[in-house]
Amino acid sequence: MRAMSVMSKGVLGAVLTALVVLGAGTTAGAVGETGGGTAGDAVGEAAGQVAGLVAGEVVGAAEADLAHHGHVSLWDGRVGVWLVTENHGPSDVVDATVRLAFSAPMAGGQELPPGCLWSSSRVVSCRTGALPDGGAAGELALDLRAVGRPQELTVDVSTAWRSGGVDRNSVNDRHRVLVLATGDPYVF
């Protein structure tokens, strides 16, 4: 929970910084159709909306229940992840990002599938694409090399971002999987 709080504060800080920079370039009277607002008013209003989003207080927002399921294997220093993201609805999701955080660092220089990027040596973030109500993203498959040959590691799977919407059932899109170096698939 503490990591989520730190991440939320970091996201909020980055968004607020961007809003201030954008607001600084806006002249007074150019904000809103009536021309009565100032750049400071717009930045303050947007900051309040962002703070509400980070806190999960989205009023009137569409609801979409994302779920991540798959399995992870560890063998001879290699980590295999197979993942499918589903939207149980009731609303469509234009796009989302799934985050995979490993307790052991992965070896550098590894290419990832399209739509994925390294956030650090321990974190991979992947775009799911559009998820219609009742639909699923195609299977995501990662074949990675860990630094050394860990005998076990954990993988945290979570939704890092979704475009719009609220997920009131986050139980099925957050998993912590303990994986032993047996080559067996550990299902989540």
Side-chain angles (χ1 to χ4, degrees), residues 25-130:
T26 307
T27 59
V31 178
E33 293 180 17
T34 62
T38 66
D41 292 340
V43 170
E45 182 180 331
Q49 291 172 352
V50 169
L53 288 172
V54 170
E57 302 167 0
V58 183
V59 177
E63 186 173 343
D65 180 19
L66 297 185
H68 307 296
H69 300 289
H71 59 92
V72 183
S73 296
L74 175 62
W75 70 100
D76 199 28
R78 299 201 69 84
V79 181
V81 179
W82 295 268
L83 170 80
V84 173
T85 299
E86 300 171 309
N87 177 8
H88 297 294
S91 300
D92 297 344
V93 173
V94 176
D95 201 0
T97 303
V98 61
R99 180 178 183 268
L100 304 164
F102 303 93
S103 62
M106 299 294 117
Q110 298 181 74
E111 287 197 37
L112 296 172
C116 294
L117 59 86
W118 288 101
S119 298
S120 74
S121 65
R122 294 174 188 249
V123 178
V124 175
S125 298
C126 296
R127 181 175 176 246
T128 65

